[in-house]
């Protein structure tokens, strides 16, 4: 114990900083996160990938994360004022999204989903921007190549020939800016492609997009979101396998025969292939020799603690992953409507923060900027004064997949009330659903005109020709909460407090 620890023990104050008996075995490292990732990162990523391939909970967690963070895509809505130029840009972008993947396996929004999975698994993912020739036949001569985290070796640290520092595969100039990435040409674990194994290539940072969600200041490389849950998931998986195997083995022994004459053991007949010589059938009468006794096998039950233990362990795993318990396990029985809605709101806040601070900022905006540059330079898109007014023409709103309403009628009425009270605009409400307000208005106007020409009217009787009107719900009719989900779930929730009852 050094003098600082002795002083802390004497002064007291923070129990967390003491070194008494209860915390004697709690020796936390003071190493920076970069040093820890360099030492353990490859093993963490390998174990995370193994769990997703072999463990149902891990596989469901990563798919749930990708589905909620990306869904069917985070899509741009250009803010260009000129309607014709905006329409042409949106049309060209939609055509290019199908050509974005250099492997040709998915579109740009599929790449977003794969990126979300990789960030969950490995903590990071890389995209190399691949300019193409005009003769390649693409709508815009640009594609993206996804590179997994293993392609940038963590052990690649030292000094470059030009005097720059290389840290964990990333090259920095003298002022600390990222100037290049030193990738492997082939995946180090892909034995099916041994060509150029171990060969490195230096790629300028301007041609690389590094998607990462750092957890600490100064962090260079990513850490799997599964890291806090890997140990519990692996041990729980082993426990489940052992319990299943124990029950299987115990169930294989139907009965045991005790004989007083071991010199005449029970032998299977010549035409019987069963292990003990007996084949049991319903209603069978078994004749025993004098002195023999039959004991029916009674395998031990798993016990009443099996399911509660699993539930509490999976709750810890769900907390470590930041995913609600039902999303991790697909178990919708243990949560009622109100609790599930609260968990969903919290999860959506986390997802929304990740969408805009990571996916949109690190991937969507840089790709959109490079795409528009390539489109203008290749004359696929004509935007007057693009060089002068580039920043304004690049402005776009990125709209994630709309959230499904938990209670459609109530949520819709609440939103209509906000619009009528001036607390929210229609443009904002439509954007939250993942659509462009101007496009929606044009579609509505076109439908109204078509209805007028055909003599059709699908509006509710008594509704105004313009504006919006809240739809009366059953709550407004009688003042009571008649939502069937609320009634059913509240009735089945014995833990609900009396003051919470409607």
């Amino acid at each position: 114990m050094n003098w600082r620890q002795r002083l802390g023990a004497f002064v007291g104050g923070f129990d967390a900083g003491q070194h008494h008996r209860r915390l004697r075995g709690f020796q936390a490292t003071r190493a920076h996160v970069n040093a820890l990732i360099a030492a353990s990162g490859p093993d963490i990523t390998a174990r995370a990938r193994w769990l997703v391939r072999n463990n149902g909970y891990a596989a469901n967690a990563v798919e749930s994360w990708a589905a909620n963070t990306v869904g069917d895509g985070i899509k741009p809505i250009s803010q260009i004022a000129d309607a014709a130029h905006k329409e042409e840009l949106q049309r060209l972008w939609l055509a290019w999204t199908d050509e974005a993947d250099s492997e040709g396996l998915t579109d740009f929004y599929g790449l977003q989903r794969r990126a979300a999975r990789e960030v969950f698994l490995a903590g990071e993912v890389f995209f190399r921007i691949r300019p193409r020739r005009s003769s390649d036949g693409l709508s815009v001569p640009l594609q993206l190549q996804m590179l997994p985290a293993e392609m940038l070796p963590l052990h690649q640290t030292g000094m470059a020939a030009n005097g720059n520092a290389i840290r964990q595969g990333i090259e920095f100039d003298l002022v600390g800016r990222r100037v290049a990435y030193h990738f492997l040409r082939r995946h180090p674990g892909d034995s099916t492609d041994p060509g150029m194994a171990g060969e490195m290539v230096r790629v300028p940072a301007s041609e690389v997009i590094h998607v990462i969600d750092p957890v600490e200041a100064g962090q260079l490389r990513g850490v799997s979101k599964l890291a806090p849950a890997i140990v519990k998931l692996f041990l729980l998986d082993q426990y489940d396998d052992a319990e299943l195997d124990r029950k299987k083995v115990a169930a294989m022994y139907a009965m045991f025969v005790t004989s007083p004459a071991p010199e005449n053991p029970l032998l299977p007949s010549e035409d019987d292939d069963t292990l003990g010589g007996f084949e049991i059938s319903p209603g069978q009468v078994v004749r025993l020799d004098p002195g023999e006794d039959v004991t029916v096998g009674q395998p031990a039950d798993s016990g009443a603690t099996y399911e509660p233990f699993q539930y509490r362990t999976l709750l810890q795993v769900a907390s470590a992953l930041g995913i609600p318990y039902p999303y991790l396990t697909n178990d919708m029985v243990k949560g009622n409507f109100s609790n599930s809605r609260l968990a969903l709101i919290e999860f959506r806040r986390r997802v929304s923060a990740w969408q805009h601070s990571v996916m949109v900022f690190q991937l969507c905006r840089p790709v959109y900027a490079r795409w528009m540059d390539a489109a203008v330079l290749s004359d696929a898109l004509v935007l007057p004064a693009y060089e002068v007014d580039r920043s304004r023409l690049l402005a776009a709103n990125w709209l994630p997949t709309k959230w499904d309403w938990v209670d459609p009628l109530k949520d819709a009425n609440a939103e209509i009330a906000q619009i009528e009270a001036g607390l929210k605009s229609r443009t904002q409400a439509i954007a939250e659903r993942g659509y462009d307000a101007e496009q929606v208005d044009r579609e509505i106007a076109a439908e109204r005109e078509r209805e007028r020409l055909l003599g059709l009217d699908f509006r509710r009787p008594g509704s105004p020709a313009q504006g919006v009107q809240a739809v009366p719900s059953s709550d407004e009719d009688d003042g009571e909460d008649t939502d069937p989900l609320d009634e059913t779930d509240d009735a089945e929730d014995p833990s609900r407090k009396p003051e919470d009852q409607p």
Side-chain angles (χ1 to χ4, degrees), residues 187-251:
H187 194 290
D190 190 357
S191 60
T192 66
D193 192 3
M196 294 182 289
E199 184 177 344
M200 307 290 297
V201 58
R202 181 182 183 272
V203 181
S206 60
E207 304 300 311
V208 176
I209 296 174
H210 185 190
V211 184
I212 178 177
D213 187 11
V215 295
E216 295 187 27
Q219 181 177 333
L220 300 179
R221 302 291 300 273
V223 180
S224 171
K225 286 185 175 292
L226 280 165
I230 284 178
V231 175
K232 288 188 180 296
L233 278 173
F234 180 68
L235 295 180
L236 182 63
D237 193 63
Q238 285 188 317
Y239 169 61
D240 273 343
D241 282 346
E243 185 68 25
L244 181 62
D245 194 66
R246 182 183 69 84
K247 295 289 288 185
K248 182 192 74 172
V249 172

Coordinates of all heavy atoms in Angstrom, one line a residue, residues 187-251:
H187 N -8.7 -10.8 -45.8 CA -9.1 -11.1 -44.5 C -8.2 -12.1 -43.8 O -7.9 -13.2 -44.4 CB -10.6 -11.6 -44.4 CG -11.2 -11.6 -43.1 ND1 -10.8 -12.5 -42.1 CD2 -12.2 -10.8 -42.5 CE1 -11.5 -12.2 -41.0 NE2 -12.3 -11.3 -41.2
P188 N -7.7 -11.8 -42.7 CA -6.7 -12.7 -42.1 C -7.2 -14.1 -41.7 O -6.4 -15.1 -41.6 CB -6.2 -12.0 -40.8 CG -7.3 -11.1 -40.5 CD -7.9 -10.7 -41.8
G189 N -8.5 -14.2 -41.6 CA -9.1 -15.5 -41.2 C -9.7 -16.3 -42.4 O -10.4 -17.3 -42.1
D190 N -9.6 -15.8 -43.6 CA -10.3 -16.4 -44.7 C -9.3 -17.3 -45.4 O -8.5 -16.9 -46.3 CB -10.8 -15.3 -45.7 CG -11.7 -15.9 -46.8 OD1 -11.9 -17.2 -46.8 OD2 -12.2 -15.1 -47.6
S191 N -9.3 -18.6 -45.1 CA -8.4 -19.5 -45.7 C -8.8 -19.9 -47.1 O -8.0 -20.5 -47.8 CB -8.4 -20.8 -44.9 OG -9.7 -21.4 -44.8
T192 N -10.0 -19.5 -47.6 CA -10.4 -19.8 -48.9 C -9.8 -18.8 -49.9 O -10.0 -19.0 -51.1 CB -12.0 -19.7 -49.0 OG1 -12.4 -18.4 -48.8 CG2 -12.6 -20.7 -48.0
D193 N -9.2 -17.8 -49.5 CA -8.6 -16.8 -50.3 C -7.2 -16.5 -49.8 O -6.9 -15.4 -49.3 CB -9.4 -15.5 -50.4 CG -9.0 -14.6 -51.5 OD1 -8.1 -14.9 -52.2 OD2 -9.6 -13.5 -51.6
P194 N -6.2 -17.4 -50.0 CA -4.9 -17.2 -49.4 C -4.0 -16.3 -50.2 O -2.9 -15.9 -49.7 CB -4.3 -18.6 -49.5 CG -5.0 -19.3 -50.7 CD -6.4 -18.7 -50.7
G195 N -4.4 -15.8 -51.4 CA -3.6 -15.0 -52.2 C -3.3 -13.6 -51.5 O -4.1 -13.0 -50.8
M196 N -2.0 -13.2 -51.5 CA -1.5 -12.0 -50.9 C -1.8 -11.9 -49.4 O -2.1 -10.8 -48.9 CB -2.1 -10.8 -51.6 CG -1.7 -10.6 -53.1 SD -2.4 -9.2 -53.9 CE -4.1 -9.7 -54.1
A197 N -1.8 -13.0 -48.7 CA -2.0 -13.0 -47.3 C -1.0 -12.2 -46.6 O 0.2 -12.4 -46.8 CB -2.0 -14.5 -46.8
G198 N -1.4 -11.3 -45.7 CA -0.5 -10.5 -44.9 C -0.1 -9.3 -45.6 O 0.6 -8.4 -45.0
E199 N -0.4 -9.1 -46.9 CA 0.1 -7.9 -47.6 C -0.8 -6.7 -47.2 O -2.0 -6.8 -47.1 CB 0.0 -8.1 -49.1 CG 0.6 -7.0 -50.0 CD 0.6 -7.3 -51.4 OE1 0.4 -8.5 -51.8 OE2 0.7 -6.3 -52.2
M200 N -0.1 -5.5 -47.0 CA -0.8 -4.3 -46.6 C -1.0 -3.4 -47.7 O -0.2 -3.4 -48.7 CB 0.0 -3.7 -45.4 CG 0.3 -4.6 -44.3 SD -1.1 -5.0 -43.3 CE -1.6 -3.4 -42.7
V201 N -2.0 -2.5 -47.6 CA -2.2 -1.4 -48.6 C -2.5 -0.2 -47.8 O -3.3 -0.2 -46.9 CB -3.3 -1.8 -49.6 CG1 -4.6 -2.1 -48.9 CG2 -3.4 -0.7 -50.6
R202 N -1.9 1.0 -48.2 CA -2.2 2.2 -47.6 C -3.3 3.0 -48.3 O -3.2 3.2 -49.5 CB -0.9 3.1 -47.5 CG -1.1 4.5 -46.8 CD 0.2 5.3 -46.9 NE 0.1 6.5 -46.2 CZ -0.3 7.7 -46.7 NH1 -0.7 7.7 -48.0 NH2 -0.4 8.8 -46.0
V203 N -4.4 3.3 -47.6 CA -5.5 3.9 -48.3 C -5.7 5.3 -47.6 O -5.8 5.4 -46.4 CB -6.8 3.1 -48.1 CG1 -8.0 3.8 -48.8 CG2 -6.6 1.7 -48.6
P204 N -5.7 6.4 -48.4 CA -5.9 7.7 -47.9 C -7.2 7.8 -47.1 O -8.2 7.2 -47.4 CB -5.9 8.6 -49.1 CG -5.2 7.9 -50.2 CD -5.5 6.4 -49.9
A205 N -7.2 8.6 -46.0 CA -8.3 8.7 -45.1 C -9.5 9.3 -45.9 O -10.7 9.1 -45.5 CB -8.0 9.6 -43.9
S206 N -9.3 10.1 -46.9 CA -10.4 10.7 -47.7 C -11.2 9.7 -48.4 O -12.3 9.9 -48.8 CB -9.8 11.8 -48.7 OG -8.9 11.1 -49.6
E207 N -10.6 8.5 -48.6 CA -11.3 7.4 -49.3 C -11.9 6.3 -48.3 O -12.3 5.3 -48.8 CB -10.3 6.7 -50.3 CG -9.7 7.6 -51.3 CD -10.7 8.3 -52.1 OE1 -11.6 7.6 -52.6 OE2 -10.7 9.6 -52.2
V208 N -11.9 6.6 -47.0 CA -12.3 5.6 -46.0 C -13.3 6.3 -45.1 O -13.1 7.4 -44.7 CB -11.1 5.1 -45.2 CG1 -11.6 4.1 -44.1 CG2 -10.1 4.4 -46.1
I209 N -14.4 5.6 -44.8 CA -15.4 6.0 -43.8 C -15.3 5.0 -42.7 O -15.4 3.8 -42.9 CB -16.8 6.0 -44.4 CG1 -16.9 7.0 -45.5 CG2 -17.8 6.2 -43.3 CD1 -18.2 7.0 -46.2
H210 N -15.0 5.5 -41.5 CA -14.8 4.7 -40.3 C -16.0 4.9 -39.4 O -16.2 6.0 -38.8 CB -13.5 5.0 -39.6 CG -13.2 4.2 -38.4 ND1 -12.2 4.5 -37.5 CD2 -13.8 3.0 -38.0 CE1 -12.2 3.5 -36.6 NE2 -13.1 2.6 -36.8
V211 N -16.9 3.9 -39.3 CA -18.1 4.0 -38.5 C -17.8 3.4 -37.1 O -17.5 2.2 -37.1 CB -19.3 3.3 -39.1 CG1 -20.6 3.5 -38.3 CG2 -19.5 3.8 -40.6
I212 N -17.9 4.2 -36.1 CA -17.5 3.7 -34.7 C -18.3 4.5 -33.7 O -18.7 5.6 -33.9 CB -16.0 3.9 -34.5 CG1 -15.6 3.5 -33.1 CG2 -15.6 5.3 -34.7 CD1 -14.1 3.6 -32.8
D213 N -18.7 3.8 -32.6 CA -19.4 4.4 -31.5 C -18.5 4.4 -30.3 O -18.5 3.5 -29.5 CB -20.7 3.7 -31.2 CG -21.5 4.5 -30.2 OD1 -21.2 5.6 -29.9 OD2 -22.5 3.9 -29.7
P214 N -17.6 5.4 -30.1 CA -16.6 5.3 -29.1 C -17.2 5.4 -27.7 O -18.2 6.2 -27.5 CB -15.6 6.5 -29.4 CG -16.5 7.4 -30.2 CD -17.4 6.6 -30.9
V215 N -16.7 4.7 -26.7 CA -17.2 4.8 -25.4 C -16.4 5.6 -24.4 O -16.8 6.0 -23.3 CB -17.4 3.3 -24.8 CG1 -18.4 2.5 -25.6 CG2 -16.0 2.6 -24.8
E216 N -15.2 6.0 -24.8 CA -14.3 6.8 -24.0 C -13.5 7.8 -24.9 O -13.4 7.6 -26.1 CB -13.2 5.9 -23.3 CG -13.9 4.9 -22.3 CD -12.8 4.2 -21.5 OE1 -11.7 4.7 -21.3 OE2 -13.1 3.1 -21.0
A217 N -13.1 8.9 -24.3 CA -12.4 9.9 -25.0 C -11.1 9.4 -25.5 O -10.4 8.7 -24.8 CB -12.2 11.1 -24.1
G218 N -10.7 9.8 -26.7 CA -9.4 9.3 -27.3 C -9.4 7.9 -27.8 O -8.4 7.5 -28.3
Q219 N -10.6 7.3 -27.8 CA -10.6 5.9 -28.3 C -10.5 5.9 -29.8 O -11.1 6.6 -30.6 CB -12.0 5.3 -27.9 CG -12.1 3.8 -28.4 CD -13.5 3.3 -27.9 OE1 -14.0 3.7 -26.9 NE2 -14.0 2.3 -28.6
L220 N -9.6 5.0 -30.3 CA -9.3 4.9 -31.8 C -10.1 3.8 -32.5 O -10.5 4.0 -33.6 CB -7.8 4.6 -32.0 CG -6.8 5.7 -31.4 CD1 -5.4 5.2 -31.7 CD2 -7.1 7.0 -32.1
R221 N -10.3 2.7 -31.8 CA -10.9 1.5 -32.4 C -12.1 1.1 -31.6 O -12.3 1.5 -30.4 CB -10.0 0.4 -32.6 CG -8.7 0.7 -33.4 CD -9.0 0.9 -34.9 NE -9.7 -0.3 -35.4 CZ -9.0 -1.3 -35.9 NH1 -7.6 -1.3 -35.9 NH2 -9.6 -2.4 -36.5
G222 N -13.0 0.4 -32.2 CA -14.3 0.0 -31.5 C -14.2 -1.2 -30.7 O -13.3 -2.0 -30.7
V223 N -15.2 -1.3 -29.8 CA -15.4 -2.5 -28.9 C -16.8 -3.0 -29.1 O -17.8 -2.3 -29.2 CB -15.2 -2.1 -27.4 CG1 -15.4 -3.3 -26.5 CG2 -13.9 -1.5 -27.2
S224 N -16.9 -4.3 -29.2 CA -18.2 -5.0 -29.4 C -19.2 -4.6 -28.4 O -18.9 -4.5 -27.2 CB -18.1 -6.5 -29.5 OG -19.3 -7.1 -29.5
K225 N -20.5 -4.3 -28.8 CA -21.5 -4.0 -27.8 C -21.9 -5.3 -27.0 O -22.5 -5.2 -25.9 CB -22.8 -3.5 -28.5 CG -22.7 -2.1 -29.0 CD -24.0 -1.6 -29.6 CE -23.9 -0.1 -30.0 NZ -23.8 0.7 -28.8
L226 N -21.4 -6.4 -27.5 CA -21.7 -7.7 -26.7 C -20.7 -7.9 -25.6 O -20.8 -8.8 -24.8 CB -21.6 -8.9 -27.7 CG -22.9 -9.1 -28.5 CD1 -22.5 -10.1 -29.7 CD2 -24.0 -9.7 -27.7
A227 N -19.6 -7.1 -25.6 CA -18.5 -7.3 -24.6 C -19.0 -7.4 -23.2 O -18.6 -8.4 -22.5 CB -17.5 -6.2 -24.7
P228 N -19.9 -6.6 -22.6 CA -20.3 -6.7 -21.2 C -21.2 -8.0 -21.0 O -21.4 -8.4 -19.8 CB -21.1 -5.5 -21.0 CG -20.8 -4.5 -22.1 CD -20.5 -5.4 -23.2
A229 N -21.7 -8.6 -22.1 CA -22.6 -9.7 -21.9 C -22.0 -11.1 -22.4 O -22.7 -12.1 -22.3 CB -23.9 -9.5 -22.7
I230 N -20.8 -11.1 -22.9 CA -20.2 -12.3 -23.5 C -20.1 -13.4 -22.5 O -20.5 -14.5 -22.7 CB -18.9 -12.0 -24.2 CG1 -19.1 -11.2 -25.5 CG2 -18.1 -13.2 -24.4 CD1 -17.8 -10.9 -26.2
V231 N -19.6 -13.1 -21.3 CA -19.3 -14.1 -20.3 C -20.7 -14.8 -19.9 O -20.8 -16.0 -19.8 CB -18.6 -13.6 -19.1 CG1 -18.5 -14.6 -18.0 CG2 -17.2 -13.1 -19.5
K232 N -21.7 -13.9 -19.6 CA -22.9 -14.4 -19.1 C -23.7 -15.2 -20.2 O -24.3 -16.3 -19.9 CB -23.8 -13.3 -18.6 CG -23.4 -12.7 -17.2 CD -24.4 -11.7 -16.7 CE -23.9 -11.2 -15.4 NZ -23.8 -12.2 -14.3
L233 N -23.6 -14.7 -21.4 CA -24.3 -15.5 -22.5 C -23.6 -16.8 -22.7 O -24.3 -17.8 -22.9 CB -24.2 -14.7 -23.8 CG -25.3 -13.6 -24.0 CD1 -25.0 -12.8 -25.2 CD2 -26.7 -14.2 -24.0
F234 N -22.3 -16.9 -22.7 CA -21.6 -18.1 -22.9 C -21.8 -19.1 -21.8 O -22.1 -20.3 -22.0 CB -20.1 -17.9 -23.0 CG -19.3 -19.1 -23.3 CD1 -19.4 -19.8 -24.4 CD2 -18.4 -19.6 -22.3 CE1 -18.6 -21.0 -24.7 CE2 -17.7 -20.7 -22.5 CZ -17.8 -21.4 -23.7
L235 N -21.8 -18.7 -20.5 CA -22.0 -19.6 -19.4 C -23.5 -20.0 -19.3 O -23.7 -21.2 -19.0 CB -21.6 -18.9 -18.1 CG -20.1 -18.6 -17.9 CD1 -19.8 -17.9 -16.6 CD2 -19.3 -19.8 -18.0
L236 N -24.4 -19.1 -19.6 CA -25.8 -19.5 -19.6 C -26.1 -20.5 -20.7 O -26.8 -21.5 -20.6 CB -26.7 -18.3 -19.8 CG -28.2 -18.5 -19.8 CD1 -28.6 -19.1 -18.5 CD2 -28.9 -17.2 -20.2
D237 N -25.4 -20.4 -21.9 CA -25.5 -21.3 -23.0 C -25.0 -22.7 -22.6 O -25.6 -23.7 -22.8 CB -24.8 -20.8 -24.2 CG -25.1 -21.6 -25.4 OD1 -26.3 -21.5 -25.9 OD2 -24.3 -22.2 -26.0
Q238 N -23.9 -22.7 -21.9 CA -23.3 -24.0 -21.4 C -24.3 -24.6 -20.3 O -24.5 -25.8 -20.3 CB -22.0 -23.8 -20.7 CG -20.8 -23.5 -21.7 CD -19.5 -23.5 -21.1 OE1 -19.3 -22.9 -20.0 NE2 -18.5 -24.2 -21.7
Y239 N -24.8 -23.8 -19.5 CA -25.7 -24.3 -18.4 C -27.0 -24.9 -19.1 O -27.4 -26.0 -18.7 CB -26.1 -23.2 -17.5 CG -27.3 -23.5 -16.6 CD1 -27.2 -24.5 -15.6 CD2 -28.5 -22.8 -16.6 CE1 -28.2 -24.8 -14.8 CE2 -29.5 -23.1 -15.8 CZ -29.4 -24.1 -14.9 OH -30.4 -24.4 -14.0
D240 N -27.5 -24.2 -20.1 CA -28.7 -24.8 -20.8 C -28.4 -26.1 -21.5 O -29.2 -27.0 -21.5 CB -29.2 -23.8 -21.8 CG -30.2 -22.8 -21.2 OD1 -30.7 -23.1 -20.1 OD2 -30.4 -21.7 -21.8
D241 N -27.2 -26.2 -22.1 CA -26.8 -27.4 -22.8 C -26.6 -28.5 -21.8 O -27.0 -29.7 -22.1 CB -25.5 -27.2 -23.6 CG -25.7 -26.4 -24.9 OD1 -26.9 -26.3 -25.3 OD2 -24.7 -25.9 -25.5
A242 N -26.0 -28.2 -20.7 CA -25.8 -29.3 -19.7 C -27.1 -29.8 -19.1 O -27.3 -31.0 -18.9 CB -24.9 -28.7 -18.5
E243 N -28.1 -28.8 -18.9 CA -29.4 -29.2 -18.3 C -30.1 -30.0 -19.3 O -30.8 -31.0 -19.0 CB -30.2 -27.9 -18.0 CG -31.5 -28.2 -17.3 CD -31.3 -28.7 -15.9 OE1 -30.3 -28.5 -15.3 OE2 -32.3 -29.4 -15.5
L244 N -30.1 -29.7 -20.6 CA -30.8 -30.4 -21.6 C -30.2 -31.8 -21.8 O -30.9 -32.8 -21.9 CB -30.7 -29.6 -23.0 CG -31.4 -30.3 -24.2 CD1 -32.9 -30.4 -23.9 CD2 -31.1 -29.5 -25.4
D245 N -28.8 -31.9 -21.8 CA -28.2 -33.2 -21.9 C -28.5 -34.1 -20.7 O -28.7 -35.3 -20.8 CB -26.7 -33.0 -22.1 CG -26.0 -34.2 -22.6 OD1 -26.2 -34.7 -23.7 OD2 -25.2 -34.8 -21.8
R246 N -28.5 -33.5 -19.5 CA -28.8 -34.3 -18.3 C -30.2 -34.9 -18.4 O -30.4 -36.0 -18.1 CB -28.7 -33.4 -17.1 CG -29.0 -34.1 -15.8 CD -28.9 -33.2 -14.6 NE -30.0 -32.2 -14.6 CZ -31.2 -32.5 -14.1 NH1 -31.4 -33.7 -13.5 NH2 -32.1 -31.6 -14.1
K247 N -31.2 -34.1 -18.8 CA -32.5 -34.5 -19.0 C -32.6 -35.6 -20.0 O -33.4 -36.6 -19.9 CB -33.5 -33.4 -19.3 CG -33.6 -32.3 -18.2 CD -34.3 -32.8 -17.0 CE -35.8 -32.9 -17.3 NZ -36.6 -33.3 -16.1
K248 N -31.9 -35.5 -21.1 CA -31.9 -36.4 -22.2 C -31.4 -37.8 -21.7 O -32.0 -38.8 -21.9 CB -31.1 -36.0 -23.4 CG -31.1 -36.9 -24.6 CD -30.1 -36.5 -25.6 CE -28.7 -36.9 -25.1 NZ -27.7 -36.6 -26.2
V249 N -30.2 -37.7 -21.0 CA -29.6 -39.0 -20.5 C -30.5 -39.6 -19.5 O -30.7 -40.9 -19.5 CB -28.2 -38.7 -20.0 CG1 -27.6 -39.9 -19.3 CG2 -27.3 -38.2 -21.1
A250 N -31.1 -38.8 -18.6 CA -31.9 -39.4 -17.6 C -33.2 -40.1 -18.2 O -33.6 -41.1 -17.7 CB -32.3 -38.3 -16.6
A251 N -33.7 -39.5 -19.2 CA -34.9 -40.0 -19.8 C -34.7 -41.3 -20.6 O -35.6 -42.0 -20.9 CB -35.5 -38.9 -20.7

